[in-house]
Amino acid sequence: MSEALDVRAATAALGPVREALLAAAHEEARRTVAAAEESAGAILQEVRDQARADLDAARSEGEAEAAAALAGEAARARRSARGLLLAAQQEAWEAARQAVADAALALQEDPGWPAMRARLRQRAVELLGPQARVQDVPGGVVAEDAGRRVDLTAPSLALARLEALGADAAEVWSP
């Protein structure tokens, strides 16, 4: 039994060593867990930071793309509006030309028309010479001589005057 005493005595004597080893193992385990938790927290923070950065980058990229799309759409709208404006101006110009031509042609109904036509005939002869062949046509006269032609009808004269207004006619479109 002395051997049993020796085992008991050895176990009793090793008890503080065993306790110290267990305490050291527990301490090492606690430090390992703490380090793992700290590392996991750092990794988690890094992932969150990266996710925030990715989200910010995506937001910035989306805003830039939206701004570019909006600028493109605005440019298309300006071009479309300009096209509509030009079409309306062209339509108004054509209506003005037609109104001027109609009003000039209506001069034939004026009691003074025969005198006006005579002045137009005289002007044709002044421009092309006495050998010019002068014809009466609706709204005035047309004269020809040696490949030259002069249209002295009230509508063509009125339209030529309207065309001569050039930039001054643009005032019609200005507010």
Side-chain angles (χ1 to χ4, degrees):
M1 273 220 204
S2 78
E3 242 180 68
L5 277 176
D6 287 341
V7 172
R8 279 189 204 147
T11 301
L14 291 176
V17 173
R18 194 178 115 230
E19 292 297 322
L21 287 175
L22 273 174
H26 282 294
E27 181 57 29
E28 182 63 28
R30 186 196 61 74
R31 280 194 304 254
T32 302
V33 168
E37 286 175 349
E38 185 178 322
S39 178
I43 291 170
L44 185 57
Q45 187 60 46
E46 187 178 312
V47 168
R48 284 181 182 143
D49 291 346
Q50 185 61 47
R52 246 183 244 110
D54 290 348
L55 181 60
D56 289 346
R59 184 178 294 118
S60 293
E61 185 177 322
E63 288 171 355
E65 287 177 8
L70 184 59
E73 189 59 35
R76 281 188 290 282
R78 282 191 303 275
R79 283 191 300 273
S80 176
R82 179 73 177 145
L84 291 172
L85 175 64
L86 291 174
Q89 287 175 343
Q90 182 64 31
E91 188 177 321
W93 178 251
E94 293 301 325
R97 286 179 48 81
Q98 187 61 51
V100 165
D102 291 347
L105 197 56
L107 287 173
Q108 296 177 109
E109 307 303 320
D110 188 277
W113 177 249
M116 284 187 255
R117 185 186 294 269
R119 283 194 302 273
L120 292 172
R121 288 178 81 61
Q122 180 184 355
R123 181 68 180 142
V125 169
E126 289 171 6
L127 291 171
L128 297 181
Q131 73 287 355
R133 196 176 52 146
V134 181
Q135 281 185 289
D136 287 340
V137 295
V141 298
V142 175
E144 294 180 358
D145 179 50
R148 298 183 305 160
R149 185 175 192 275
V150 176
D151 180 349
L152 296 176
T153 59
S156 69
L157 293 171
L159 288 174
R161 181 63 190 132
L162 182 63
E163 294 288 339
L165 289 174
D168 292 337
E171 289 179 19
V172 171
W173 321 125
S174 301

